[in-house]
Amino acid sequence: MTNRLAEAKSLYLRKHAENPIDWWSWCDEALATAREQDKPIFLSIGYSSCHWCTVMEGEAFSDLAIAEYMNANFLSIKVDREERPDLDSIYMQTLQMMSGQGGWPLNVFLSPDDLVPFYAGTYFPVDPRYGRPGFLQVLQALRRYYDTEKEELRQRKAVVVEALLTSAVLQNSNTQDTEDHELLLKAWETSTGIIIPKQVGNSFPMIPYAEFAWRGTRFNYESEYDRQQVCTQRGLDLVLGGIYDHVGGGFHRYTVDPTWTVPHFEKMLYDNGQIIEYLGNLWSAGIQEPAFERAVAGTVKWLQREMTAPSGYFYAAQDADSFTHPTAAEPEEGAFYVWPYSELAQLLTPAELTELQQNFTVTANGNFEGQNVLQRLHQGELSQTLEISLSKLFAARYGSTPETLTTFPPAQDNQEAKTTEWPGRIPTVTDTKMIVAWNSLMISGLARAAVVFGQPSYWELAAKTANFILDNQFVDGRFYRLNYQGEASVLAQSEDYAFFIKALLDLHQASLQNSDWLEKAVALQEEFNEFLWSVELGGYFNTASDNSQDLIVRERSYIDNATPSANGIAIANLVRLSLLTDNLHYLDLAEQGLRAFRGVMNNSPQGCPSLFTALDWYRNSTLIRSNLEQLTSLMSKYLPTTVLAMVSELPEGSVGLVCQGLKCLPAAASVEELLLQVQRSQNRM
C-alpha cells in the first residue's frame, strides 16, 4: 500500500511511496496538522542518487515497528533537497552546529509551533551499529524529551535560532582591514592549498576552488606552491582517474580514496558542467593535454546519449547503484560501471587485454570489491587499438557500439530498470527532472568548450537547452526552478537566477552576433533584483521575498560547496553586465554585494572562492570593443576578467578598443598592442 508520496513529482519522494511511514511532503497542510496534533516533526531531506538515503529507505523507513511508532508520535515530512535547497541549507546548518559535520540523508526533528530544530543526524541504522544508536531508540528518546523537558527544549531552540540569525547577518561586516590585492593573494594561496592532492580521505572535484586558483596563475607573486602545476594536476586527476567514466563518458561525483581511483558512482549534472568549463579554461591557457579534449568529448557524448530530454533540457543525475539481474532484491553500487577481470578476458583478445593493463589499472584481483574500476596510468592520446578495446567494453555495457548508439533511454525508477529488456547491463536509474541551476552550469561549460575546442555542436546543444528554459520556465511573469515533463514547478531560487544569467552571458560571449542572449540576461537580472536583492544588507537572499513564509530564517548563501555560491556568481554577473550595457547601476550593486560579504572574505577565505572570483572581476574588469573577426580570434583565449563587445565602427587605423572599468585606453593600432593592453588590464591589481 502506497502513502501520499506516490503522487509526488520528485523521483526521490516517490522512492519512499511504498514505505509504511505516513509521509507528507513539505506543505502548509502538513505543518498545520503537526501543530494541531502537537506532534514533533521528523524532517528527512535527501536526493534520488544519494547512496545512504537509499540504504535508509530500504532499512529504517521500511521497518514496520519503526513506522508504527513514527506514525503515532511524529509527523513525518520528506523533502527532496534538489527541489528545496533553501530548506536544506537552513537545516544542514543546524546539523553542522550540533554534530560538527554534515551529509545526507539529513534527518532533523522540529518543534511544530515554530519549525525550529532541536535534534539532527544523518544515517540511522535500524539496530545499533557503526557507532550509531538504533533508530527506534532515537525516536523514543526524542519523543520523551519533547514531552517532558519543555524548558530545556525552549532554551535549546533559542540557542539554535540565535546561531542561525547570527550566521544570516554575519557577512554584513564592513571591515576593510585588508586591501583588495592582499585579500586576493591570500585567497589564491588558500584555494591553491585546498586543491593540492591529499594523502588520505575522499577526493572531490572542488571546481569553484580550482577555477579561482587557476585565475590567480596570471599574476606573478611569491607563493609556496607551483600554482600552475597544482591546477593542472587537478585537471589531470579528473580526466585520468577513476572518477571519469573512460568507457561511457561523464564524471562521477567523487572518489572514496585520495588516489582518484574508486568513485562514488553517481553522476551529477552540476559536476559535469563545471568540469567541462574548467578543462576548457586550462586548454585555452595553453595546457593542451589530449586527455582533456577526450574527456570533454566523451562527456558531451554521454550528455547527448543519456542525459538530454527530447525537448532539449538536461536530466539531473544518475544513481550510483544498479541491479545486476532483474530478480535482484537490491541494486549494487557501481554494478553498471565496474569490470570483473574474467569478463575483460572474455571480451578482449590477449593482446588487447595486455595493452589495457599497460594503460589502465586492471588486475586479476581488481581495485573495488574484486572488480576493476578503470583508471588511466599515463597522459597523452590513447592508441587506436585501445579505443577499439574500450568500444568493446562499451558494447558489453550498453548492448551497442558507440558509433550506433546515439540515444539511450533512461530508466526512470527501479521498477522500470528491472522490467525493461536492456540489450546490455541494467542501467542506473536517471532522475529526469530539469533543474535550472544545474542546466545553467552545463550550458556555461558547453559554451566555453565550443569556442575552445572548435566544436559548434557544443554551442548548439547549450543554446537549445537555454531556449527550453526561456520558453518553459516563466509562468505568469515569474521564473521557475524545476520542470517535470513539461510542467514548471517551484519558484526559482538565487542559484537559478545567478547561474542562468551567467549561462546567457556565456552564450552571448561565445557567439556575439545575437544580442538576444544579453537582452534576456538583462531582463532576468531585473526580476532577480526585484525579488531577491537585500536592500538592507546587500547581496541576494536564497529565496524570493514573496516565497519565504515557511523559512525560520532568510539566508544569503555565500559558501561554495559542490556548486559555486549564488552570491559569488551573481556579483560577477553584475560586473559583466555593467561592462556590456554601460549601466553603472550594476556596478553599484556589485560593490554593495562585495561590501556585504567583506567580513566573511577577510575571516574565512577558505569558504568562499566564488566571492573572490567576483572581486577579481570587480578589480580587473576589462572590455574589448572590436569587429567580429578580431573578437572571434580572442574567444578561445584565456581572458578571465574580460568581456567582448562587437562594434561596427572603430577609430581610424585601430583594431580595437580596450576599456578598464570607467576608462578606455588609447585605441590599439595592432593586434599585438591590443593583446598587450588586455594582458595588462587583466593584471592591473
Side-chain angles (χ1 to χ4, degrees), residues 47-67:
Y47 57 101
S48 67
S49 56
C50 165
H51 174 71
W52 287 103
C53 301
T54 301
V55 172
M56 195 165 180
E57 184 279 321
E59 294 179 350
F61 295 155
S62 297
D63 185 276
L64 292 177
I66 288 174

Side-chain angles (χ1 to χ4, degrees), residues 82-84 433-436 472-473 480-484 487-490 496:
E82 295 166 1
E83 288 190 325
R84 293 295 304 269
K433 70 173 174 285
M434 195 287 298
I435 304 176
V436 167
N472 293 275
Q473 295 308 114
Y480 277 72
R481 170 177 175 79
L482 304 176
N483 193 288
Y484 289 104
E487 183 180 349
S489 178
V490 181
D496 302 298

Side-chain angles (χ1 to χ4, degrees), residues 219-232:
F219 292 96
N220 293 318
Y221 66 86
E222 186 174 339
S223 171
E224 64 176 296
Y225 308 113
D226 184 338
R227 294 173 294 127
Q228 180 163 305
Q229 190 278 328
V230 170
C231 295
T232 301

Side-chain angles (χ1 to χ4, degrees), residues 87-390:
L87 286 171
D88 178 68
S89 177
I90 291 169
Y91 293 115
M92 182 59 73
Q93 273 201 70
T94 304
L95 172 63
Q96 291 167 337
M97 290 176 202
M98 293 180 175
S99 68
Q101 57 187 358
W104 296 274
L106 168 58
N107 294 310
V108 193
F109 295 83
L110 319 177
S111 283
D113 54 336
D114 52 16
L115 306 181
V116 175
F118 58 90
Y119 188 78
T122 53
Y123 166 78
F124 291 105
V126 175
D127 300 309
R129 66 178 190 270
Y130 312 132
R132 298 168 186 258
F135 192 43
L136 183 57
Q137 288 71 40
V138 171
L139 294 169
Q140 292 168 338
L142 288 172
R143 180 67 212 220
R144 251 189 333 267
Y145 177 79
Y146 177 80
D147 290 335
T148 62
E149 303 292 340
K150 293 297 186 182
E151 179 57 26
E152 184 180 330
L153 176 68
R154 186 192 65 78
Q155 294 177 5
R156 185 178 181 85
K157 290 195 301 176
V159 171
V160 171
V161 170
E162 182 180 2
L164 288 172
L165 290 173
T166 300
S167 175
V169 299
L170 175 65
Q171 59 269 35
N172 195 41
S173 168
N174 289 325
T175 304
Q176 298 287 340
D177 57 338
T178 306
E179 295 293 332
D180 283 354
H181 71 280
E182 295 176 358
L183 200 59
L184 280 165
L185 293 179
K186 178 183 177 183
W188 272 315
E189 285 291 276
T190 300
S191 285
T192 305
I194 285 173
I195 64 168
I196 284 181
K198 304 299 188 291
Q199 301 302 312
V200 295
N202 301 333
S203 298
F204 288 86
M206 304 189 76
I207 297 302
Y209 293 89
E211 184 65 48
F212 175 66
W214 183 242
R215 299 172 75 90
T217 60
R218 71 185 195 273
F219 292 96
N220 293 318
Y221 66 86
E222 186 174 339
S223 171
E224 64 176 296
Y225 308 113
D226 184 338
R227 294 173 294 127
Q228 180 163 305
Q229 190 278 328
V230 170
C231 295
T232 301
Q233 187 61 49
R234 176 51 49 109
L236 290 171
D237 288 336
L238 289 168
V239 301
L240 302 179
I243 194 171
Y244 178 67
D245 180 359
H246 298 278
V247 172
F251 292 87
H252 299 292
R253 179 69 191 88
Y254 62 92
T255 66
V256 298
D257 48 54
T259 58
W260 297 90
T261 304
V262 177
H264 188 43
F265 291 90
E266 65 202 90
K267 290 182 180 178
M268 312 299 293
L269 184 68
Y270 58 74
D271 284 317
N272 283 272
Q274 292 179 88
I275 291 171
I276 287 177
E277 184 169 8
Y278 181 65
L279 295 176
N281 284 335
L282 291 178
W283 187 277
S284 69
I287 313 299
Q288 299 188 350
E289 161 59 41
F292 292 168
E293 187 172 24
R294 182 183 187 275
V296 169
T299 299
V300 174
K301 289 178 181 176
W302 162 75
L303 187 71
Q304 293 173 304
R305 183 181 64 245
E306 301 177 47
M307 296 290 286
T308 303
S311 53
Y313 66 83
F314 303 127
Y315 301 141
Q318 291 180 323
D319 283 4
D321 308 339
S322 59
F323 295 97
T324 57
H325 191 272
T327 60
E330 296 291 339
E332 296 181 13
E333 186 173 9
F336 191 59
Y337 301 106
V338 297
W339 302 95
Y341 187 81
S342 58
E343 185 179 3
L344 294 173
Q346 181 181 2
L347 293 170
L348 304 177
T349 68
E352 289 171 336
L353 181 57
T354 297
E355 186 181 24
L356 190 71
Q357 289 180 283
Q358 291 171 345
N359 289 274
F360 288 88
T361 53
V362 173
T363 65
N365 294 327
N367 52 21
F368 173 69
E369 298 180 358
Q371 303 186 79
N372 289 282
V373 174
L374 298 186
Q375 178 178 18
R376 287 183 61 174
L377 301 174
H378 315 292
Q379 296 175 223
E381 293 186 29
L382 295 182
S383 70
Q384 188 61 36
T385 52
L386 262 177
E387 294 287 9
I388 291 172
S389 296
L390 294 173

Side-chain angles (χ1 to χ4, degrees), residues 403-435:
E403 294 75 24
T404 59
L405 187 65
T406 57
T407 302
F408 190 73
Q412 299 191 59
D413 54 44
N414 282 346
Q415 184 64 20
E416 191 171 303
K418 293 177 71 171
T419 58
T420 301
E421 292 187 11
W422 304 99
R425 295 176 175 179
I426 299 174
T428 61
V429 170
T430 298
D431 186 346
T432 58
K433 70 173 174 285
M434 195 287 298
I435 304 176

